[in-house]
Amino acid sequence: MRPFVYERPANVADALELHRDGALYLGGGTNLVDLMRLGVEEPTRLVDVSRLPYGEIEVRPDGTLVIGAAVRNSDLAADRTVRETHPMLAQAVLMGASGQIRNQATVGGNLLQRTRCSYFQDASKPCNKREPGTGCPAREGEHHNLAILGHSPECVATHPSDMAVALAALDASVRVRGRDGERTIPFEEFHRLPGGEPERDSNLRDGDLVTAVEVPPLAMPSRYRKVRERASFAFALVSVAAAVRTVGATVPDGEGGVVRDVRLALGGVAHKPWRCRRAEDVLRGAPADEETFLRAAEAELEAAEPLRDNAYKVPLARNLIVRTLLDLREAS
């Protein structure tokens, strides 16, 4: 690990001023410090923002959650209001990492964590994401857990966050403070697909500081479901965040009712949390039955472009969507 300067600013203005010339913000450090040890990240200065006044969860009168960027993941998952009003968010956080890591990791850092693609983490290997223009050996190499949607010839990495998948489905937005003032970024526009610039994970500008996430109220049953290679903790092979509201009678065999509203996002399949707009369009106003759910999942996955060893993710994602929607229909 190369030498660096450590700073702990007393306020936001100082933090923005210190973030220059190769500096990086430090929250919980659960991903960044690992990458520094691996030689993937080599900041000249760490600006510790974990003690800035963004450690609270506010509930507005209309039910919107304002979650400070410095809130610890374990505190978010344990928050009584979050568990009652946005259960998919609490479930997603609890399925990410270990308890020890959740106690240290922050909301802002979770959104900005970087891919776990083995070529990105191995500084001795070429990687367009770590060093643009060097190539993507994952395309012909080890890619069984990498992207099937939205990837490019330059990068097939996936975004590792569980929390972000739920926030994508919840129509959240990210509050950012930059040198030009404060602005809000819709969550769907926060992360990027790789295109020709895989080194850029988000649409943040240089020096931008994530200060909070806003989550609008949710008036329908929701759930986060994740498939991973081991039960203790692991990154998602495929995950789904879903919420659905149906109207009309549902008879005992499970048939009946119409989908009035739905939110759907996938994790583990793309460079960013993947909002399933095509599937949602198929579902709204359609019968709430297994045939519709299957048709919606297949419509979304028509765009999939699996590689040699990850085609299994297509039927896995399809089955995960259908099973989760069936479960939620019963609760709607």
Side-chain angles (χ1 to χ4, degrees):
M1 186 182 294
R2 292 188 177 180
F4 58 89
V5 176
Y6 173 83
E7 305 270 10
R8 183 183 291 168
N11 53 58
V12 177
D14 288 348
L16 296 173
E17 179 61 29
L18 288 167
H19 191 283
R20 296 182 185 279
D21 303 325
L24 289 175
Y25 291 125
L26 176 70
T30 54
N31 183 216
L32 175 57
V33 174
D34 279 349
L35 294 177
M36 291 171 65
R37 288 173 174 153
L38 292 169
V40 174
E41 296 281 9
E42 296 180 328
T44 58
R45 174 184 293 138
L46 286 184
V47 183
D48 186 343
V49 295
S50 63
R51 298 190 184 183
L52 294 181
Y54 301 122
E56 302 293 332
I57 301 173
E58 173 192 351
V59 184
R60 291 179 178 164
D62 69 349
T64 297
L65 301 176
V66 181
I67 304 167
V71 170
R72 302 288 172 177
N73 288 5
S74 53
D75 292 334
L76 176 63
D79 185 89
R80 183 173 180 177
T81 300
V82 173
R83 295 170 70 93
E84 290 178 351
T85 64
H86 299 76
M88 79 156 75
L89 178 56
Q91 292 162 6
V93 175
L94 287 173
M95 289 186 189
S98 64
Q100 293 92 335
I101 291 175
R102 291 196 298 270
N103 286 339
Q104 179 69 17
T106 63
V107 169
N110 187 286
L111 303 188
L112 296 173
Q113 61 181 306
R114 309 208 69 187
T115 183
R116 264 58 171 191
C117 174
S118 59
Y119 298 97
F120 173 77
Q121 293 188 306
D122 185 346
S124 70
K125 299 288 195 307
C127 172
N128 285 326
K129 191 172 189 63
R130 192 184 63 252
E131 189 176 350
T134 57
C136 178
R139 292 191 68 85
E140 299 300 327
E142 172 54 49
H143 56 239
H144 84 282
N145 60 350
L146 298 183
I148 59 171
L149 289 163
H151 56 78
S152 75
E154 283 72 28
C155 185
V156 293
T158 50
H159 195 275
S161 171
D162 293 291
M163 180 196 302
V165 182
L167 292 172
L170 288 167
D171 287 333
S173 56
V174 183
R175 192 185 295 173
V176 172
R177 180 79 177 271
R179 298 189 182 100
D180 298 329
E182 189 173 73
R183 69 185 193 281
T184 299
I185 305 173
F187 202 84
E188 209 167 349
E189 300 173 13
F190 183 77
H191 296 100
R192 301 177 74 259
L193 291 177
E197 296 179 296
E199 70 276 15
R200 295 182 59 201
D201 291 331
S202 74
N203 285 313
L204 290 176
R205 302 168 188 161
D206 185 42
D208 277 350
L209 175 66
V210 173
T211 60
V213 177
E214 297 185 13
V215 187
L218 182 72
M220 48 184 152
S222 70
R223 179 168 184 177
Y224 185 76
R225 179 173 267 162
K226 174 178 177 178
V227 176
R228 48 191 164 180
E229 290 182 325
R230 62 175 188 266
S232 55
F233 65 92
F235 296 100
L237 296 173
V238 178
S239 66
V240 61
V244 66
R245 181 162 64 93
T246 63
V247 292
T250 298
V251 295
D253 64 2
E255 300 296 330
V258 171
V259 176
R260 173 61 63 86
D261 198 2
V262 63
R263 313 280 180 81
L264 201 58
L266 291 171
V269 297
H271 199 255
K272 59 183 283 186
W274 187 267
R275 183 67 183 263
C276 301
R277 295 293 186 184
R278 292 185 184 184
E280 290 178 358
D281 289 343
V282 171
L283 289 165
R284 286 195 180 90
D289 56 27
E290 186 168 353
E291 181 181 344
T292 299
F293 297 160
L294 180 58
R295 187 157 48 87
E298 290 180 339
E300 190 65 45
L301 294 164
E302 280 180 358
E305 297 180 290
L307 302 173
R308 182 194 63 227
D309 295 331
N310 67 359
Y312 74 94
K313 286 194 174 188
V314 177
L316 179 59
R318 181 187 64 222
N319 295 340
L320 204 59
I321 290 172
V322 172
R323 184 67 258 169
T324 304
L325 291 175
L326 285 170
D327 290 347
L328 286 172
R329 182 189 63 181
E330 303 307 316
S332 180

